[in-house]
Amino acid sequence: QEEEEQEADNFMFEFSDKPLLPSYNLQVSVSRGPCNWFLFSDVLKRLKLSSRIFQARFPHLEVATLPRAEFQRQVSLSQVLAQEEVPASPEPAPGAAETVELVHYEPELLQLLGSAVEYQAWSS
Amino acid sequence: HYFRYDEHVSLCLEKLSSSKDKSKAVLQQKYVRCSVRAQIRHLRRVLCHRLGLSLQHVQILFDNEPLPDHMTMKQLWLSRWFGKVCIHH
């Protein structure tokens, strides 16, 4: 717990030799402030895993669901997301899922994705 | 501060090449993501650590212009918008 608090107070830098998967700052429930998420489908594609295998192998990595319209509303409010990073089509294609699946942005997942993680204290 | 919940920015760092010096450290992992509240000085320190260089040898540039140490990533993003950030050492 103490270690977690220490890390929360530092800046985390993610480094990769591959272009980064987009991450989204989202509030997924009213009882919890905004935090960072990947689209689960992006992560599965990069790792070449099925959802079932991912969740069996990494049961501690948090997966959440958000209505698609709510996801798009929150993403469109971002000042720093380039518009081309915002997933397209406010009207989902017929038959498309009404929800988006998300996976929580955290150091262990970044390492699975091949990124290196470094911390830097604010005061340094 | 709880920076971990902050919105992110993603950067792509390109080494500013000078044809004279071939012995420069190579930046393998040039794609970087961090909090919008991180400052240029934090990025400089992280890069120095990764490249094994001292602070005075790493400069972060945008359009060949050194960026001020206390500029945050959000300020950088909003003022320069799309484009590349270069490092020069």
Side-chain angles (χ1 to χ4, degrees):
Chain A
Q1 185 66 37
E2 206 170 273
E3 197 178 285
E4 269 192 15
E5 283 184 12
Q6 218 170 10
E7 286 185 359
D9 227 22
N10 287 339
F11 287 116
M12 184 167 85
F13 285 82
E14 176 188 355
F15 285 87
S16 176
D17 55 359
K18 297 187 291 267
L20 299 162
L21 295 178
S23 61
Y24 303 94
N25 197 260
L26 303 166
Q27 184 165 10
V28 299
S29 76
V30 285
S31 57
R32 183 170 171 188
C35 54
N36 293 300
W37 303 85
F38 289 115
L39 286 175
F40 196 27
S41 56
D42 284 349
V43 169
L44 296 176
K45 203 167 155 190
R46 177 85 43 114
L47 294 176
K48 299 191 174 72
L49 287 178
S50 71
S51 162
R52 195 175 55 80
I53 290 174
F54 181 93
Q55 284 176 293
R57 235 183 250 179
F58 314 107
H60 49 291
L61 295 178
E62 188 186 356
V63 175
T65 309
L66 202 62
R68 182 174 295 274
E70 177 58 18
F71 170 77
Q72 264 154 354
R73 189 190 68 80
Q74 290 193 33
V75 160
S76 68
L77 297 175
S78 166
Q79 275 187 297
V80 294
L81 268 184
Q83 282 313 298
E84 63 263 31
E85 286 179 281
V86 177
S89 80
E91 296 290 320
E98 291 299 315
T99 57
V100 286
E101 283 195 294
L102 306 163
V103 56
H104 194 243
Y105 181 95
E106 54 188 286
E108 187 186 342
L109 178 58
L110 303 183
Q111 275 152 11
L112 283 176
L113 292 166
S115 292
V117 175
E118 290 218 25
Y119 295 94
Q120 190 63 217
W122 178 83
S123 55
S124 67
Chain B
H1 298 125
Y2 283 89
F3 298 118
R4 73 152 85 174
Y5 304 121
D6 285 358
E7 199 166 7
H8 288 145
V9 286
S10 298
L11 308 168
C12 178
L13 304 175
E14 295 289 350
K15 190 176 73 178
L16 192 68
S17 53
S18 91
S19 50
K20 283 183 196 155
D21 188 1
K22 299 279 187 206
S23 64
K24 281 179 174 181
V26 179
L27 189 66
Q28 295 280 7
Q29 296 178 307
K30 63 177 188 171
Y31 297 99
V32 183
R33 170 157 39 212
C34 62
S35 159
V36 289
R37 284 192 285 171
Q39 297 170 11
I40 293 296
R41 64 192 176 109
H42 299 117
L43 179 59
R44 271 180 78 201
R45 285 189 181 275
V46 170
L47 287 175
C48 287
H49 181 241
R50 294 184 70 78
L51 297 168
L53 294 167
S54 56
L55 201 57
Q56 69 266 29
H57 291 125
V58 175
Q59 237 188 348
I60 298 177
L61 310 175
F62 186 96
D63 285 345
N64 284 322
E65 188 192 313
L67 292 169
D69 258 355
H70 283 83
M71 182 180 244
T72 65
M73 295 303 156
K74 184 146 189 180
Q75 289 168 331
L76 172 65
W77 186 257
L78 294 178
S79 61
R80 319 289 165 111
W81 210 242
F82 298 113
K84 279 192 291 192
V85 177
C86 304
I87 71 156
H88 173 66
H89 50 261

